[in-house]
């Protein structure tokens, strides 16, 4: 494994209102994308991929019970996905894990004609974008 590059993202910690729901949706997605659980404790989990890790935690210091991506702070996480076929498979499979497809009328080009992605939102209001690494160019 290559050492991290100066300025590269080290980790992201996401506070969730319900750890079980987060594990069912975000945990499923992280494992499907190749992350592995690196730490586990009563109120959280940590997933690792290369030098970067993501934490899901139910903190006792939470001040709300739902994430609002339209407020200041984190809007969404975007993940590279191998290709358009994998984006579509994940979008379909995600429905069984607490995710809903956002912008279905614009899917898979909600980000523009040259951008192939699925935008998903889970029960707790967290959004992820699954972006095809190799996608055919649209006209």
């Amino acid at each position: 494994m290559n050492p991290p590059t100066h300025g590269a993202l080290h980790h992201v910690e996401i506070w969730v209102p319900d750890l079980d729901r987060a594990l069912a949706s975000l945990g499923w997605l992280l494992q499907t994308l190749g992350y592995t659980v690196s730490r586990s404790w009563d109120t959280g989990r940590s997933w690792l991929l290369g030098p970067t890790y993501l934490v899901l935690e139910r903190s006792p210091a939470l001040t709300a019970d739902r994430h609002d991506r339209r407020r200041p702070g984190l809007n969404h996480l975007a993940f590279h996905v191998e290709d358009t076929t994998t984006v579509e498979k994940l979008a379909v499979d995600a429905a069984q894990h607490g995710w809903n497809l956002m912008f279905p009328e614009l899917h898979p080009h909600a980000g523009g004609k040259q951008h192939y992605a699925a935008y998903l939102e889970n029960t707790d209001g967290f959004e992820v974008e699954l972006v095809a690494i190799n996608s055919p160019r649209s006209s």
Side-chain angles (χ1 to χ4, degrees):
M1 178 170 67
N2 294 330
T5 303
H6 176 82
L9 189 63
H10 184 269
H11 76 274
V12 174
E13 184 169 328
I14 302 173
W15 283 7
V16 298
D18 185 295
L19 184 59
D20 289 336
R21 279 197 312 260
L23 294 175
S25 62
L26 286 160
W28 165 81
L29 180 62
L30 292 172
Q31 287 185 296
T32 302
L33 292 174
Y35 287 76
T36 57
V37 174
S38 61
R39 277 189 59 220
S40 182
W41 60 101
D42 288 345
T43 59
R45 300 288 181 285
S46 176
W47 281 267
L48 181 66
L49 181 64
T52 305
Y53 67 95
L54 277 91
V55 176
L56 302 179
E57 184 173 19
R58 170 61 171 107
S59 171
L62 279 176
T63 60
D65 63 357
R66 181 168 166 78
H67 175 73
D68 185 343
R69 64 184 176 80
R70 292 165 293 199
R71 288 187 174 185
L74 179 72
N75 177 266
H76 71 280
L77 296 173
F79 296 94
H80 290 289
V81 175
E82 185 175 2
D83 55 29
T84 59
T85 301
T86 307
V87 167
E88 293 307 320
K89 180 173 180 3
L90 286 170
V92 169
D93 292 351
Q96 301 301 313
H97 298 277
W99 296 98
N100 292 308
L101 182 65
M102 302 172 71
F103 322 115
E105 69 285 357
L106 300 172
H107 177 76
H109 299 289
K113 290 183 179 183
Q114 301 300 318
H115 187 72
Y116 196 104
Y119 294 81
L120 306 171
E121 183 177 30
N122 74 2
T123 305
D124 290 316
F126 290 100
E127 178 186 345
V128 296
E129 179 181 353
L130 305 176
V131 183
I133 295 170
N134 299 314
S135 66
R137 297 289 180 215
S138 301
S139 53

